[in-house]
Amino acid sequence: MSDNNPQWNPRESKCPMQRDDFDEMRNKCPVAKSDSSKWWVFKHSDIEEILEDPETFSSDVSSHLSVPNTMDPPEHTAYRELIDHYFSEEVLSSFPDDFRAISEKLVNSAVANDCTEAMGDLGLPYAARTQCAFLGWPTDLAETLVTWTLENQQAARDQDRDRLAKLAGEFESLVQSVIEQQRNSGQKPPTLTQSLIREKIDGHRLSLEELTSIFRNWTVGEVGSLAASIGIILYYLAECPHIVDHLRQADSAEMEDVLDEILRMHGPLVANRRKATRETTIRGTTIEPGDTIYINWVSANRDEEVFGDPDTFDPDGNAENNLLYGKGIHVCPGAPLARMELRIFFKELLEQVTAIELPSKQDIEYAKYPASGFARLLVCLQ
Ligand code: HEM
């Protein structure tokens, strides 16, 4: 541990809401060593520089294949071209009705109860069911995805490598059986999973390992972020009813901008990693080749030097610098899908609900790293 960098342990949050720890670190120690050869970066401008220099800050951070997350150019470029098509307007236009029906059902049952636990009853099932609908997977797999996501988050929190490896193996078997079923089904029009199975890259079909990795990223990789987003937005709307009125008047584009701004103030995804390919410096701190750098999205999006008071709601003024969905070659390809899913959910909710209230702050449990947002959030929808 170097002398000028105090120890930073993302698993030992001092404040109930870990976002407050990130705020403190950004101001006290913006480049912090967390472990041997591991660095956390908290400032918006440093993170932008990292994102814009994939040669120095490689995404090749894992021994496990992750398509395209852990790839660097030129390999990354070809896979991104293939993937980006699945998030185009043309493809996404098939899903709003399904997403609306999923939202309606969940919101109906939440409204029927006095209060509801927002993560277990709304966020997680909505995220898992919409991902199943998007991929053309059977609806009953949604529950499996939720269970898997929660168990994986727990194992990651406990840093239980054996459990993580076992869960990864179980998920691989599940995805492979879905791929086999869909490969043999002649459904018309084909599901998105079937279309991906038939894709070719450099003249060859995607391997089972590549397909499994893509589906893992599009399901469990994202169920956590999407569910966290729903909890964070519900909490914000309960605290700021005037924004609810603003949302009720908004058209689709404005609504997505408002939701992006709420998620800028409290990010649903904590961090992604990079690996230094050469010796470099960040804010005067020497980073050795092979060191791992954690990009803290939640902190970057609250940097006072860029946003002034980070809690000032200003969708128009802050949109340009909002790193909610990343920036550079790894910018989130699923952003149009995530924005659409969130917009449809909250539109449905606001149509059925006149008031969102938090019955008691004691019924709130903040999520712990690597998750963000809330682990438990009781809300009353009237
Ligand atoms: C609120 C929800 C979401 C948030 C906040 C989010 C955020 C992000 C961020 C910040 C990155 C950049 C990572 C990096 O630079 O290392 C990213 C990448 C990625 N996201 Fe999302 N995402 C969300 C939803 C989704 C969805 C729904 C999908 C797909 C179904 C998706 C698929 C991906 C993939 C495949 C990458 C890697 C891209 C690459 O490496 O080129 N995301 N996401």
Side-chain angles (χ1 to χ4, degrees), residues 98-128:
D98 290 341
F99 295 173
R100 232 170 263 127
I102 296 168
S103 308
E104 194 183 353
K105 209 165 163 194
L106 287 169
V107 174
N108 266 334
S109 33
V111 172
N113 298 318
D114 283 346
C115 292
T116 196
E117 200 287 289
M119 298 313 298
D121 297 339
L122 294 171
L124 284 161
Y126 181 68

Side-chain angles (χ1 to χ4, degrees), residues 27-69:
N27 289 300
K28 266 183 31 193
C29 181
V31 183
K33 197 163 195 168
S34 68
D35 203 344
S36 140
S37 318
K38 289 193 179 136
W39 301 91
W40 279 72
V41 179
F42 294 90
K43 292 285 290 175
H44 190 282
S45 57
D46 297 336
I47 288 174
E48 274 198 319
E49 275 181 35
I50 292 169
L51 298 174
E52 279 158 8
D53 184 0
E55 259 180 53
T56 307
F57 300 100
S58 159
S59 287
D60 181 13
V61 290
S62 170
S63 51
H64 301 287
L65 176 73
S66 184
V67 181
N69 308 45

Side-chain angles (χ1 to χ4, degrees), residues 17-20 22-23 26 40-42 47 232 263-272 295-303 307 310 323-324 370-373:
M17 201 192 279
Q18 59 188 357
R19 181 184 81 164
D20 298 338
F22 304 156
D23 284 349
R26 181 175 63 253
W40 279 72
V41 179
F42 294 90
I47 288 174
I232 290 166
L263 297 175
R264 177 196 63 75
M265 293 184 271
H266 190 168
L269 172 68
V270 178
N272 284 104
I295 297 165
N296 189 317
W297 304 110
V298 180
S299 170
N301 267 338
R302 295 180 54 76
D303 192 335
F307 301 103
L323 294 177
L324 171 63
S372 185

Side-chain angles (χ1 to χ4, degrees), residues 51 59 66-71 76 80 83 87 131 134 214 217-219 221-223 225-227 229 263 267-269 271-274 295 297 323-327 329-335 337-339 341-342:
L51 298 174
S59 287
S66 184
V67 181
N69 308 45
T70 57
M71 292 173 162
H76 175 263
R80 263 307 286 254
I83 282 171
F87 302 97
Q131 289 314 101
F134 178 61
I214 292 174
N217 289 335
W218 291 11
T219 52
E222 300 313 331
V223 164
S225 303
L226 208 75
S229 301
L263 297 175
L269 172 68
N272 284 104
R273 288 175 294 163
R274 297 292 187 270
I295 297 165
W297 304 110
L323 294 177
L324 171 63
Y325 293 105
K327 188 175 181 174
I329 62 167
H330 292 277
V331 68
C332 179
L337 171 66
R339 285 196 178 107
E341 289 174 326
L342 292 172

